[in-house]
Amino acid sequence: MKRLLPLLLLGATASAQATNTLHQIYIQPSLANLKIDGSHGSALMTQVGYNYHFAPMLAMDLSYYMTASINDIVHNNDKASATGTTIAAKLYFPMSYYGSFYGKFGLNRTNVDYQYNVNNQTLKQEAVSTKPYLSVGTIMRLFPSTTFNIEYQYIPLASDDYISSIGAGVNFMF
């Protein structure tokens, strides 16, 4: 334990210098993979969010995300899109003054809209789910109040469906 304490203190000071503020907003475009009924489709996903730092290595993350319309997932001429919100605890693991690894764990609430045609009739299904949410990434300092991040997210949906995404974003601290 005595050997671990200096490393924890060093990590806390490095992360405090890297964040240096309590508030952070971000925008993160991603390439998302949506799995519905055993089939996959890809689309762009945009996520905007807010972080409040309780401590140098701990923050609360709130975000809203939405995907573009994904065509031909399960059948020809079908469409799906997803929108949702997340709330998560964000833990930082400092690498240096210029960057950190992080992990997020929390809850997401997702609404998936699915449209398909049967006998020349358009049918719509909507599925709303609230499930655990997991994300890992790295954040790198660009300027004193601007950072760049790369993140992988896994968002489970109703039944066996899910969204997984890889994105890169810009964070602004104030």
Side-chain angles (χ1 to χ4, degrees):
M1 184 66 180
K2 290 180 182 179
R3 294 179 186 164
L4 186 59
L5 189 59
L7 290 175
L8 291 174
L9 291 175
L10 175 64
T13 58
S15 183
Q17 292 171 346
T19 57
N20 202 22
T21 59
L22 293 176
H23 307 281
Q24 177 180 345
I25 57 171
Y26 62 90
I27 184 164
Q28 178 176 299
S30 305
L31 179 61
N33 177 32
L34 175 63
K35 179 189 169 256
I36 295 179
D37 293 335
S39 297
H40 296 268
S42 297
L44 292 177
M45 181 170 87
T46 303
Q47 185 172 10
V48 293
Y50 168 77
N51 287 326
Y52 178 80
H53 290 89
F54 295 106
M57 294 172 52
L58 177 64
M60 175 188 64
D61 182 89
L62 301 170
S63 70
Y64 171 79
Y65 59 90
M66 62 184 190
T67 65
S69 182
I70 305 167
N71 297 324
D72 302 328
I73 296 178
V74 179
H75 307 288
N76 287 336
N77 299 321
D78 66 349
K79 294 185 219 178
S81 63
T83 58
T85 57
T86 64
I87 181 168
K90 186 174 185 179
L91 298 169
Y92 292 91
F93 304 98
M95 296 182 300
S96 71
Y97 174 75
Y98 296 102
S100 301
F101 288 112
Y102 65 85
K104 292 192 270 187
F105 182 75
L107 290 175
N108 80 76
R109 181 167 175 83
T110 305
N111 182 21
V112 177
D113 292 320
Y114 181 61
Q115 296 180 4
Y116 57 98
N117 294 321
V118 174
N119 299 330
N120 293 330
Q121 184 178 12
T122 301
L123 300 174
K124 296 180 181 182
Q125 289 181 340
E126 185 175 320
V128 178
S129 62
T130 302
K131 300 269 184 151
Y133 159 74
L134 180 66
S135 176
V136 293
T138 184
I139 193 164
M140 294 154 279
R141 187 174 180 158
L142 296 175
F143 302 107
S145 62
T146 307
T147 57
F148 172 76
N149 75 300
I150 298 172
E151 181 175 280
Y152 170 78
Q153 297 181 73
Y154 179 79
I155 303 169
L157 304 173
S159 64
D160 291 346
D161 301 338
Y162 63 84
I163 299 173
S164 64
S165 70
I166 296 176
V170 179
N171 308 281
F172 303 99
M173 295 171 276
F174 56 96

